[in-house]
Amino acid sequence: MKHIACIEDLRALARRRVPRMFYDYVDTGSWTGYTYRSNEADFQRIEFRQRVALDIAVRSTATTMVGQPVAMPVAIAPTGMTGMQHADGEILAARAARDAGIPFTLSTMSICPIEAVAEATGRHPFWFQLYVLRDRGFVESLIDRAQAANCSALVVTMDLQVMGLRHKDKKNGLSAPPRPTLRNLANLATKPRWCWNMLATKHRQFGNIVGHVKGVDDMRSLADWTREQFDPHLSWRDIEWIRGRWNGKLIVKGIQHPDDARLAVKSGADAIVVSNHGGRQLDGASSSISSLPAIVEAVGRDIEVHMDGGIRSGQDVLKAVALGARGTYIGRAMMYGLGAMGQRGVAAALDIIRTELDLSMAFCGKTDIRSVGREILHMK
C-alpha cells in the first residue's frame, strides 16, 4: 500500500481491477456528465485562509451526526450495487466504517441483504437507505427489517422518482441481468481476481429484494418488477407516513432547493442531505457544494444539514463543514477503495480522508472540527 497516497491512486487501481461496466457505473454521471464533474470541480474554487503561530498540537475531528458520535464528520453514502465492485462489498465497507468509527449506509439496491450485513458486523448499528417504491407493503417490510437489524437511522432518498439518462450504462449493457456481450465477456476475462472473488460468494443479486417480493426470484424477474416501482407520485406525505412507522433517526436525502429543505423540516425529518444523486439524475443541476450555503441559511437553525457529491479528499470535507454542513457522505471515494483492495481499500480511503481533514484543519489554525466556520475560507 506504499503507492497509495490519495483517493486518485485508489481510483486508478480500481479502474484496472473492476470490470468496465461496473467501474463505469460508479465513475460516470447522467447525460453529458456536467453535474457529475461540477460536484468535484466546484470544491476547487474554494480556497483556505492559512494561519500560523497558533497552538495546534492537540486536535480532534470527532463530532456527532444525528446525535451519533463519529470520529469525523463523514458517513459512507448509500451506493447501489456496491457488491459488484468487490464480492461482499457492502459487508466489507460496513466493517471498514465500523472500525473507523463512522456510519455506514446500506442501499436498498445493495447486493448483500440487510440481514447479512448485520450478522457480519456483529449487529453494530448502521444506517439504511430507503427508496419509497410503489409497492408500499414492500417498503413497510424494508423498514421493519431495518429496525430488526438494529439500524440506527433511515435515509430516505427523494430524487429518484424517475430514472436519469445514464448513457454509459446503456452502452455497457449494464442491466439486470447484465447483457453478456462479447465486449463484456472479453473484459471480464482480464479481471481474474474479481471473477474468482465473485465465484466464492453467494451474494450476486439484489439481496434486499430477490426472495422478499412475491414473484421476484431471480435477476430477470427483478428487472421487470423494478421498472414499475419508481414512484412519480412521491410526496411529503410519504415522509410523514415513514416518520410515524420508523423509531430511529430519519434523514431525507436529495435536497437541492431551500423550499424543499423547509418542507423536510415540516415533515419531521432529523436531518437533510444536500445532494444531486452524485450527478446521476438531473444533468445541469447545481453542484452540491454550491447549493449548500443557501440551504444552510434557510434551515440550518431548524435541522441538521449534511451534504454529498464530489468529495474526494479531507480538504473537501473541511470546506463543506466550513460552509455549514454538520456531516458529509462519501460514495465514489469509498467505491474506488473497495474496487481497488476490498476492505483494506475502504479503510485506506477513510484514513486518507481523516488525515487530510486533520492536517488541513491544523493549517487553518483550528484544533476542533466543531469550531470550524466560514472564517477559514476565501471564496473566489
Side-chain angles (χ1 to χ4, degrees), residues 67 73 109 256:
M109 305 304 291
Q256 297 187 71

Side-chain angles (χ1 to χ4, degrees), residues 242-294:
I242 292 168
R243 174 73 284 175
R245 188 177 184 89
W246 174 252
N247 297 325
K249 297 295 185 179
L250 181 63
I251 303 170
V252 173
K253 182 176 180 289
I255 303 299
Q256 297 187 71
H257 195 287
D259 288 349
D260 289 333
R262 295 184 185 101
L263 289 168
V265 173
K266 292 180 180 178
S267 74
D270 297 294
I272 59 173
V273 185
V274 178
S275 172
N276 53 40
H277 214 99
R280 294 172 59 76
Q281 283 293 88
L282 175 61
D283 194 32
S286 299
S287 68
S288 293
I289 193 63
S290 65
S291 300
L292 176 64

Side-chain angles (χ1 to χ4, degrees), residues 166-328:
R166 301 171 185 178
H167 298 325
K168 187 64 74 72
D169 289 349
K170 186 174 182 180
K171 291 177 180 178
N172 284 336
L174 185 64
S175 58
R179 294 203 306 270
T181 63
L182 288 175
R183 183 170 179 259
N184 287 338
L185 292 173
N187 184 251
L188 281 173
T190 68
K191 316 294 181 185
R193 182 198 305 258
W194 184 92
C195 293
W196 178 260
N197 287 332
M198 289 304 298
L199 287 172
T201 181
K202 62 182 179 181
H203 302 301
R204 302 191 195 95
Q205 51 194 4
F206 291 105
N208 289 326
I209 301 173
V210 174
H212 294 277
V213 177
K214 186 178 180 180
V216 179
D217 301 312
D218 54 31
M219 290 291 278
R220 197 167 297 279
S221 58
L222 169 70
D224 295 334
W225 181 81
T226 302
R227 276 193 292 270
E228 303 299 324
Q229 285 303 308
F230 294 113
D231 190 356
H233 299 293
L234 176 67
S235 75
W236 291 104
R237 291 190 301 273
D238 293 304
I239 298 298
E240 294 169 4
W241 167 67
I242 292 168
R243 174 73 284 175
R245 188 177 184 89
W246 174 252
N247 297 325
K249 297 295 185 179
L250 181 63
I251 303 170
V252 173
K253 182 176 180 289
I255 303 299
Q256 297 187 71
H257 195 287
D259 288 349
D260 289 333
R262 295 184 185 101
L263 289 168
V265 173
K266 292 180 180 178
S267 74
D270 297 294
I272 59 173
V273 185
V274 178
S275 172
N276 53 40
H277 214 99
R280 294 172 59 76
Q281 283 293 88
L282 175 61
D283 194 32
S286 299
S287 68
S288 293
I289 193 63
S290 65
S291 300
L292 176 64
I295 292 174
V296 169
E297 183 178 358
V299 300
R301 296 178 181 271
D302 304 318
I303 197 170
E304 198 165 302
V305 180
H306 303 168
M307 69 82 63
D308 74 8
I311 293 175
R312 303 290 186 271
S313 70
Q315 290 200 332
D316 295 338
V317 173
L318 185 60
K319 291 172 182 179
V321 171
L323 289 175
R326 284 284 301 277
T328 64

Side-chain angles (χ1 to χ4, degrees), residues 11 21 71 116 127 176 181 215 296 330 370:
R11 187 199 66 79
M21 71 170 72
W127 298 355
T181 63
V296 169
I330 59 166
R370 294 170 296 181

Side-chain angles (χ1 to χ4, degrees), residues 70-144:
V70 293
M72 58 179 169
V74 174
I76 288 184
T79 51
M81 296 200 297
T82 297
M84 301 310 291
Q85 299 299 308
H86 190 287
D88 297 329
E90 290 88 1
I91 289 172
L92 302 181
R95 286 173 172 167
R98 176 198 62 191
D99 295 345
I102 68 166
F104 168 79
T105 314
L106 182 70
S107 172
T108 290
M109 305 304 291
S110 65
I111 303 301
C112 299
I114 302 170
E115 294 80 7
V117 175
E119 180 181 359
T121 55
R123 293 185 61 80
H124 182 80
F126 59 96
W127 298 355
F128 182 70
Q129 176 268 334
L130 180 73
Y131 286 121
V132 185
L133 305 173
R134 288 178 185 264
D135 186 342
R136 293 299 197 267
F138 176 63
V139 172
E140 288 181 341
S141 73
L142 280 175
I143 294 172
D144 293 345

